[in-house]
């Protein structure tokens, strides 16, 4: 670690793998519950005091460093080129998380492609700035969850796009449901949020928040100011954006009627939002055009935002609309949700890129590259009417693979190519399968086969309750049941992992926290293989990735 990431010699450095993570999670959880309770009672002085205490606690700092060194961006440096990859560096980093003397570095500007061909700007903070944001997010998230709109689903704990799609089905599926939909699009949401509004309304340390907002960004070795917006790429940015847009649902209810009132039944106004993408249903096109749309525009204007006139449109449900990669449309009075054409095209483009970039690679390697993409795309759409789309994708992918195989052997016949790359397994013909060259314990050669999207079972998604708050002790049993059901769905085809997860009651035995799809897991051998341990489930245990490393470090 460089000089700006070195700890003071007067402070004690606690070894990273000696931290009691169960105690750290427990201490932070207690403070977060108290913050949520104070927020519900609108005791803002107590909220501020508890947030300050959490931001200065050892447990909070340890979990903040743990988060930024385990997420997907842990190997992406900021402008200083640093990453925290060793236990010693992580332990030293905890001592740097202080308010006094803290000055954030500018963001590193990068661009990622969008579906429409344009590029989305991202700001990459340094590891120290990411950890400071993660620390303050621990104190801000209980406030955000307590004040959040009921039907806001983006970047919130235990909420996902499938919840938003399920809410669309709830709001539009009945014969008496609204028939008109306002598709909202905010012009450059993250880039245009008013700094003055954030500083006036976000209950977090104002001095630190102002430093983050005014840090600027570096591009081509030049420093650019950030007069507005919050950077896409910062850990705390999605929560800030959510808090900026929270309150729209209450505005709509105050104007057009609250739930289960005659006025609400008459107007049929329902909001479904995922981050800055949202839809609003209405009883008529005139209502959405003349009353709802101006109200949304006024709400956004106070926050420095505006609707995109080109992308914001009002659509009849029989014409359908695209939302979060799905097409929502009524056919003869029946609502059907299926993968959108744009989403299918983007998936096919990704498959083409993989095939074009691996024309000469081994078949087993190609299968390992394709399987995560196909399986991930199918799992995303498995809660909607996607069976026909899955079958069409399998047929399309077979044709692409047949072209890939024939191109490798232009002088060979069709039957020769078929026997080399495709097999008959059970009742299935033309299975794209290859040997890996590894011999299993039973003496049989190991092989890998291409995952077929059509084998993914269509299962209705269990939507989260709108008022569910993960920091409310009264909802703890509800969240445990919800996490359990979702994990069982994700592990239904992996019986050994599901048995292990159930045997551990869904918890990691090291830190005693829940093992979920978001936390991830490692399969640990109690007796190492080199010491004679086997792969039977009695010798296996599921651990969080960091807990797994901690167990091995103590050996």
């Amino acid at each position: 670690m460089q000089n700006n990431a070195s700890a003071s010699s007067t402070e004690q450095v606690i070894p990273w793998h000696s931290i009691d993570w169960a105690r750290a999670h427990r201490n932070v959880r207690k403070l977060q519950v108290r913050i949520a309770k104070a927020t519900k009672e609108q005791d803002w002085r107590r909220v501020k005091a508890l947030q300050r205490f959490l931001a200065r606690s050892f447990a909070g700092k340890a979990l903040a460093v743990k988060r930024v060194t385990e997420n997907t961006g842990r190997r992406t440096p900021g402008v200083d080129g640093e990453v925290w990859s060793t236990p010693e560096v992580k332990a030293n980093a905890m001592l740097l998380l202080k308010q006094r003397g803290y000055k954030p570095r500018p963001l590193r500007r990068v661009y990622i492609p969008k579906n429409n061909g344009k590029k989305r700007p991202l700001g990459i903070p340094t590891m120290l700035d990411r950890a400071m944001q993660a620390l303050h997010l621990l104190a801000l998230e209980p406030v955000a969850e307590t004040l959040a709109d009921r039907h806001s689903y983006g970047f919130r704990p235990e909420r996902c796009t499938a919840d938003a799609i399920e809410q669309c089905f709830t709001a539009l599926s009945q014969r008496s449901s609204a028939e008109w939909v306002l598709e909202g699009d905010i012009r450059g949401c993250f880039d245009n949020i008013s700094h003055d509004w954030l500083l006036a309304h976000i209950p977090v340390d104002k001095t630190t928040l102002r430093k983050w907002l005014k840090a600027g960004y570096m591009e081509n070795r030049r420093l650019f100011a950030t007069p507005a917006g919050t950077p896409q790429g910062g850990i705390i940015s999605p929560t800030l954006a959510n808090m900026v847009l929270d309150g729209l649902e209450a505005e709509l209810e105050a104007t057009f009627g609250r739930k289960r009132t005659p006025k609400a039944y008459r107007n049929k106004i329902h909001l479904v939002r995922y981050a800055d993408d949202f839809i609003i249903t209405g009883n008529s096109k005139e209502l959405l055009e003349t009353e709802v749309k101006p109200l949304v525009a006024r709400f956004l204007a106070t926050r420095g935002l505006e609707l995109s006139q080109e992308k914001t449109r009002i659509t009849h449900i029989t014409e359908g609309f695209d939302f979060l990669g799905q097409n929502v449309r009524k056919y003869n009075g029946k609502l059907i949700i299926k993968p959108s054409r744009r989403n299918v095209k983007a998936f096919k483009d990704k498959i083409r890129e993989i095939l074009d970039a691996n024309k000469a690679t081994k078949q087993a390697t190609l299968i390992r590259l394709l399987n995560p993409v196909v399986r991930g795309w199918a799992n995303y759409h498995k809660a909607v009417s996607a069976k026909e789309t899955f079958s069409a994708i399998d047929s399309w992918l077979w044709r692409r693979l047949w072209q890939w195989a024939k191109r490798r052997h232009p002088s060979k016949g069709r039957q020769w190519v078929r026997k080399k790359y495709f097999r008959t397994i059970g009742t299935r013909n033309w299975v794209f399968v290859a040997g890996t060259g590894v011999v299993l314990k039973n003496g049989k050669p190991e092989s890998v086969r291409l995952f077929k999207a059509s084998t993914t079972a269509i299962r209705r998604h269990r939507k989260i309750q709108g008022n569910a708050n993960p920091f409310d002790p009264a909802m703890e049993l509800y969240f445990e049941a919800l996490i359990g059901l979702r994990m069982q769905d994700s592990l239904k085809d992996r019986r050994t992992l599901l048995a292990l997860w159930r045997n551990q009651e869904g918890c990691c035995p090291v830190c005693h926290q829940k093992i979920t799809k978001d936390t991830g897991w490692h399969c640990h051998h109690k007796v190492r293989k080199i010491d004679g341990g086997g792969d039977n489930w009695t010798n296996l245990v599921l651990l969080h990735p960091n807990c797994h490393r901690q167990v091995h470090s103590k050996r």
Side-chain angles (χ1 to χ4, degrees):
M1 184 176 288
Q2 298 176 7
N3 292 335
N4 62 339
S6 59
S8 171
S9 59
T10 61
E11 296 177 273
Q12 183 182 5
V13 178
I14 298 178
W16 180 253
H17 286 310
S18 68
I19 296 174
D20 186 347
W21 292 109
R23 183 178 180 183
H25 280 285
R26 187 166 58 248
N27 291 343
V28 170
R29 171 72 179 176
K30 287 179 180 179
L31 287 172
Q32 289 178 322
V33 168
R34 293 172 65 187
I35 292 172
K37 182 180 179 182
T39 302
K40 195 172 182 179
E41 297 170 353
Q42 296 189 353
D43 187 351
W44 300 111
R45 180 176 294 181
R46 185 164 183 76
V47 168
K48 185 176 181 180
L50 290 169
Q51 285 181 324
R52 186 186 302 113
F53 186 71
L54 175 54
R56 295 177 179 178
S57 67
F58 172 83
K61 294 177 180 180
L63 291 183
V65 174
K66 180 175 180 285
R67 174 170 181 173
V68 301
T69 54
E70 287 189 354
N71 59 20
T72 55
R74 62 186 180 275
R75 296 187 181 92
T76 305
V79 294
D80 57 358
E82 289 186 11
V83 292
W84 297 345
S85 56
T86 65
E88 294 77 19
V89 171
K90 296 175 187 178
N92 280 313
M94 287 189 293
L95 302 181
L96 300 172
L97 303 183
K98 298 179 178 180
Q99 298 290 111
R100 182 176 298 177
Y102 170 67
K103 184 177 180 181
R105 302 285 295 272
L107 306 165
R108 181 167 70 89
R109 176 59 60 94
V110 296
Y111 294 91
I112 59 174
K114 298 171 64 175
N115 292 334
N116 57 8
K118 298 181 180 179
K119 292 187 176 181
R120 185 192 306 276
L122 287 184
I124 309 299
T126 64
M127 293 297 292
L128 176 59
D129 295 334
R130 275 179 253 177
M132 283 293 288
Q133 290 186 18
L135 177 60
H136 284 80
L137 180 58
L138 289 172
L140 180 62
E141 203 166 38
V143 181
E145 285 299 305
T146 305
L147 302 177
D149 287 346
R150 293 192 310 276
H151 300 306
S152 163
Y153 299 100
F155 305 111
R156 295 180 60 192
E158 303 306 327
R159 284 169 168 80
C160 59
T161 54
D163 290 308
I165 295 299
E166 189 65 25
Q167 180 59 28
C168 289
F169 183 86
T170 302
L172 295 166
S173 61
Q174 302 298 321
R175 290 186 178 274
S176 59
S177 298
E179 296 185 346
W180 292 92
V181 177
L182 170 67
E183 303 173 62
D185 185 272
I186 302 174
R187 190 193 305 276
C189 178
F190 281 84
D191 297 329
N192 297 307
I193 296 174
S194 168
H195 286 180
D196 292 337
W197 194 95
L198 286 170
L199 292 169
H201 294 87
I202 302 299
V204 73
D205 183 77
K206 307 297 182 184
T207 303
T208 305
L209 179 59
R210 183 180 288 105
K211 289 178 180 179
W212 287 333
L213 297 176
K214 303 297 184 182
Y217 65 91
M218 296 291 294
E219 186 175 7
N220 297 327
R221 298 185 178 182
R222 292 180 58 193
L223 177 63
F224 295 86
T226 48
T230 178
Q232 296 186 62
I235 287 180
I236 203 171
S237 295
T239 301
L240 294 178
N242 267 336
M243 296 187 74
V244 167
L245 298 176
D246 282 334
L248 179 57
E249 191 169 10
E251 289 274 349
L252 292 170
E253 288 183 350
T255 305
F256 302 104
R258 297 188 180 277
K259 190 176 181 180
R260 295 192 179 94
T261 62
K263 193 175 182 181
Y265 280 121
R266 184 171 62 253
N267 293 318
K268 300 177 182 178
I269 299 293
H270 296 281
L271 169 71
V272 183
R273 181 170 66 84
Y274 188 91
D276 58 337
D277 294 327
F278 66 90
I279 65 158
I280 301 175
T281 67
N283 194 32
S284 68
K285 184 177 182 179
E286 292 74 20
L287 175 67
L288 294 175
E289 185 69 50
T290 61
E291 297 185 48
V292 175
K293 189 175 177 181
L295 183 148
V296 174
R298 290 193 299 271
F299 176 87
L300 296 176
T302 60
R303 291 150 172 80
L305 303 172
E306 62 178 353
L307 289 170
S308 171
Q309 298 302 322
E310 300 80 17
K311 297 181 181 179
T312 300
R313 58 178 66 92
I314 298 174
T315 310
H316 196 270
I317 192 61
T318 56
E319 298 177 10
F321 62 93
D322 291 347
F323 186 55
L324 302 177
Q326 315 287 9
N327 179 261
V328 184
R329 183 178 177 183
K330 266 189 176 179
Y331 299 84
N332 297 323
K334 184 177 182 180
L335 187 74
I336 296 180
I337 304 176
K338 56 187 180 180
S340 67
R341 291 182 180 179
R342 184 179 300 175
N343 183 272
V344 172
K345 182 181 181 301
F347 170 74
K348 288 182 177 180
D349 290 343
K350 190 169 185 178
I351 294 295
R352 287 192 188 97
E353 289 179 6
I354 295 174
L355 293 176
D356 292 342
N358 294 275
K359 292 178 179 178
T361 192
K362 293 182 179 179
Q363 184 184 6
T365 305
L366 180 66
I367 292 174
R368 289 194 176 104
L369 291 172
L370 290 174
N371 275 352
V373 178
V374 179
R375 182 180 283 109
W377 180 83
N379 284 335
Y380 181 82
H381 294 287
K382 69 180 181 181
V384 301
S385 304
K387 204 65 178 179
E388 290 184 4
T389 307
F390 288 169
S391 297
I393 283 295
D394 285 339
S395 299
W396 174 86
L397 183 53
W398 177 88
R399 291 192 296 270
R400 297 292 303 182
L401 290 173
W402 179 247
Q403 294 172 3
W404 177 87
K406 287 198 303 180
R407 180 190 176 278
R408 293 163 67 90
H409 308 281
S411 61
K412 297 292 185 180
R414 295 167 60 91
Q415 291 300 323
W416 188 93
V417 174
R418 175 185 176 178
K419 289 180 181 179
K420 180 171 178 61
Y421 293 101
F422 298 90
R423 298 181 193 173
T424 298
I425 299 179
T427 58
R428 293 184 179 179
N429 299 321
W430 294 91
V431 179
F432 195 68
V433 62
T436 62
V438 178
V439 179
L440 301 176
K441 289 184 177 180
N442 57 12
K444 295 182 179 180
E446 183 187 39
S447 62
V448 290
R449 71 168 73 177
L450 181 70
F451 178 81
K452 294 176 70 70
S454 56
T455 60
T456 303
I458 303 298
R459 298 190 183 101
R460 184 79 177 266
H461 178 76
R462 185 182 291 267
K463 191 182 80 69
I464 193 171
Q465 291 181 10
N467 61 349
N469 185 348
F471 302 103
D472 184 355
M475 301 294 296
E476 192 156 343
L477 292 178
Y478 168 77
F479 275 100
E480 286 185 2
L482 182 70
I483 292 171
L485 289 170
R486 291 183 176 179
M487 279 293 289
Q488 288 183 45
D489 284 343
S490 65
L491 296 177
K492 188 162 283 187
D493 300 327
R494 306 166 76 178
R495 296 182 180 179
T496 302
L497 291 180
L498 181 57
L500 288 173
W501 187 82
R502 284 175 172 169
N503 188 52
Q504 298 172 201
E505 297 182 351
C507 290
C508 172
V510 175
C511 66
H512 307 300
Q513 298 300 303
K514 288 292 180 181
I515 296 176
T516 67
K517 291 190 294 183
D518 294 332
T519 63
W521 59 82
H522 284 176
C523 211
H524 171 66
H525 290 78
K526 298 177 185 177
V527 178
R528 296 182 299 178
K529 282 190 172 184
I530 60 175
D531 296 330
D535 289 328
N536 52 312
W537 72 274
T538 55
N539 190 46
L540 299 175
V541 62
L542 295 182
L543 303 175
H544 288 130
N546 186 74
C547 297
H548 193 201
R549 289 189 289 269
Q550 186 178 35
V551 169
H552 277 279
S553 71
K554 292 181 179 179
R555 282 182 171 178

